[in-house]
Every structure is written in structure tokens, then in C-alpha cells.
């Protein structure tokens, strides 16, 4: 991987998608983004947004989440995958935020990782989008397309995260995620890539053209 090829990739992503941070999950407060991200595991952002629009009206505070019935919460989010576990995590996360963090979402990685339902991906979403801390989020799109671009050979999201930290400029850490999500949803679609119209095809060793 040459520095010039990586720079060409970043330049073309910037030209196509801009350099402003984007967030596909809807939220008004840090804890709402945290909960939406927990819900988004193995689920589309569009489905999560449909569910949270009503969910955040019904439970408009951490206190209401913390005191919610697990059975009722499961009903409220039942259209989202793994809703049993996610309902449990939302309630437990709300309780821990109230008991350990005075109702505030923490910014440091170690504290975020103590919250139920929060792994490195979710923690980095919060750090990058709420606290403007350079963070790399490795989801399925980032893992798949980073590999197609020849920037990693790993299947391990944590290893990919650290590999990308070594080569990407910090001002593109959070953008890498949202740009590749957009690319993966519109052009580099899993199992039906549109390589013939992809603006990265000249930089991509996996391009089928």
C-alpha cells in the first residue's frame, strides 16, 4: 500500500461525500445516540430510527429507561433483531449511567466499555460523534470494503481498527466509517458490487472491471 494510493482514495472519498461528519442514526442527546447504537447491532439504521422515534417519546429520560419493565421494553423494540438482549442492555445501561456517571455519557474508552451492551464499535461512535475525539469505527461495511481496498487482510475488527489508526490521518478516522457506509449501501454493495460505476475502481485491487 503506497501513501499516494491511500491519499488518492481519501481525496476521492472527500470529493464524493464531503468532509463534514455524518450520522445516520437519529438522536437529540448523547444517551439517545448511545442507545440507538446499541440497538443498531445486526440491524439497519433505518429500522432503528423507526423504532427510536416512538421509543424516545415514551421513555424521554434515563430514569424512565432505568425503571422500565423488561417485558414492555421487549415489546417496544421487538422489530429489532436480538431484542431480548438489547432490551436488557438498555435498561441496565440506563441504570449504570445514573448510578456511576451522574446520568452523563462518559467520554473515555475504558468507562464506556463498562456500560452494558457497549463494545469498541459503539464506544468509538460515541467518542467520535459526541466528543469529537478521533475514533475509528469498524462495522461490517468498513471491514468488508477496507479489505477489498487492500488496506487489511484481517477479519478481526479490533485489529483492523488499529491497522487503520496507523495509516489514516486523524481527521479522517470518523469519516472513514460514514464514507464506507455510504459507499457500501450505494455502490460497493455486498455480493452485487457496481464496480463499473465506482469512483474508487482505479485504486481498488478487488474491482471487477
Amino acid at each position: 500500500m503506497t501513501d499516494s494510493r491511500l491519499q488518492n482514495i481519501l481525496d476521492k472519498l472527500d470529493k464524493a461525500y464531503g468532509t463534514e461528519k455524518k450520522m445516520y442514526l437519529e438522536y437529540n442527546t448523547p444517551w439517545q445516540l448511545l442507545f440507538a447504537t446499541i440497538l443498531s447491532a445486526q440491524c439497519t439504521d433505518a429500522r432503528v430510527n423507526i423504532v427510536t422515534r416512538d421509543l424516545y417519546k415514551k421513555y424521554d429520560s434515563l430514569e424512565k429507561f432505568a425503571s422500565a419493565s423488561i417485558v414492555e421494553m421487549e415489546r417496544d423494540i421487538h422489530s429489532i433483531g436480538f431484542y431480548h438482549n438489547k432490551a436488557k442492555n438498555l435498561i441496565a445501561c440506563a441504570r449504570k449511567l445514573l448510578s456511576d456517571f451522574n446520568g452523563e455519557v462518559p467520554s473515555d474508552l475504558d468507562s464506556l466499555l463498562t456500560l452494558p451492551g457497549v463494545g469498541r464499535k459503539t464506544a468509538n461512535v460515541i467518542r467520535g460523534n459526541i466528543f469529537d475525539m478521533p475514533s475509528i469505527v469498524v462495522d461490517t461495511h468498513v471491514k468488508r470494503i477496507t479489505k477489498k481496498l487492500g488496506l487489511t487482510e484481517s477479519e478481526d475488527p479490533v485489529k483492523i481498527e488499529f491497522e487503520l489508526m496507523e495509516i489514516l490521518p486523524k481527521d479522517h478516522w470518523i469519516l472513514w466509517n460514514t464514507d464506507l457506509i455510504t459507499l457500501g449501501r450505494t455502490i460497493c454493495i455486498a455480493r452485487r458490487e457496481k464496480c463499473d460505476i465506482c469512483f474508487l475502481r482505479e485504486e481498488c485491487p478487488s474491482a471487477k472491471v
Side-chain angles (χ1 to χ4, degrees):
M1 176 66 188
T2 64
D3 290 342
S4 61
R5 186 163 78 85
L6 177 59
Q7 191 58 57
N8 286 341
I9 291 170
L10 295 177
D11 289 345
K12 289 179 179 181
L13 287 170
D14 288 349
K15 183 178 179 180
Y17 302 132
T19 57
E20 294 296 317
K21 286 195 305 183
K22 301 174 284 292
M23 173 47 62
Y24 295 105
L25 293 169
E26 297 173 1
Y27 68 99
N28 292 311
T29 67
W31 66 261
Q32 286 182 347
L33 178 58
L34 176 64
F35 288 4
T37 308
I38 291 172
L39 290 171
S40 71
Q42 306 298 314
C43 184
T44 66
D45 292 345
R47 168 53 55 185
V48 172
N49 289 335
I50 290 170
V51 170
T52 56
R53 284 169 200 155
D54 291 330
L55 192 70
Y56 293 156
K57 290 176 184 175
K58 181 175 181 178
Y59 305 97
D60 58 5
S61 69
L62 282 174
E63 288 79 8
K64 288 184 180 178
F65 268 96
S67 61
S69 154
I70 183 72
V71 173
E72 189 168 357
M73 183 66 70
E74 287 179 352
R75 284 201 298 266
D76 292 330
I77 67 169
H78 75 278
S79 64
I80 286 178
F82 305 100
Y83 67 90
H84 292 295
N85 201 44
K86 289 178 182 178
K88 179 184 69 175
N89 283 335
L90 291 184
I91 294 171
C93 188
R95 290 174 179 172
K96 191 168 182 67
L97 286 172
L98 291 168
S99 65
D100 293 10
F101 300 103
N102 298 313
E104 300 291 332
V105 176
S107 61
D108 65 287
L109 185 63
D110 289 342
S111 294
L112 283 164
L113 292 175
T114 68
L115 297 171
V118 176
R120 290 188 69 91
K121 186 190 89 167
T122 296
N124 282 326
V125 168
I126 297 303
R127 283 164 57 82
N129 290 281
I130 297 297
F131 298 106
D132 291 320
M133 296 178 174
S135 304
I136 291 178
V137 179
V138 180
D139 61 11
T140 55
H141 290 292
V142 169
K143 176 181 173 180
R144 178 173 59 83
I145 299 175
T146 298
K147 194 168 184 179
K148 281 184 172 294
L149 288 169
L151 302 183
T152 184
E153 295 181 355
S154 179
E155 294 290 337
D156 179 5
V158 175
K159 186 174 181 182
I160 294 170
E161 177 188 338
F162 281 95
E163 288 176 344
L164 289 173
M165 287 168 67
E166 289 291 323
I167 62 173
L168 292 177
K170 284 190 175 182
D171 61 356
H172 279 73
W173 282 14
I174 200 68
L175 286 172
W176 189 255
N177 174 253
T178 51
D179 286 353
L180 294 201
I181 287 175
T182 305
L183 185 67
R185 288 175 175 172
T186 58
I187 297 174
C188 192
I189 303 165
R191 292 181 298 279
R192 51 189 178 95
E193 302 94 336
K194 302 176 183 178
C195 298
D196 58 318
I197 63 168
C198 183
F199 56 87
L200 292 181
R201 62 185 178 275
E202 293 179 0
E203 315 299 337
C204 181
S206 304
K208 300 172 183 175
V209 289

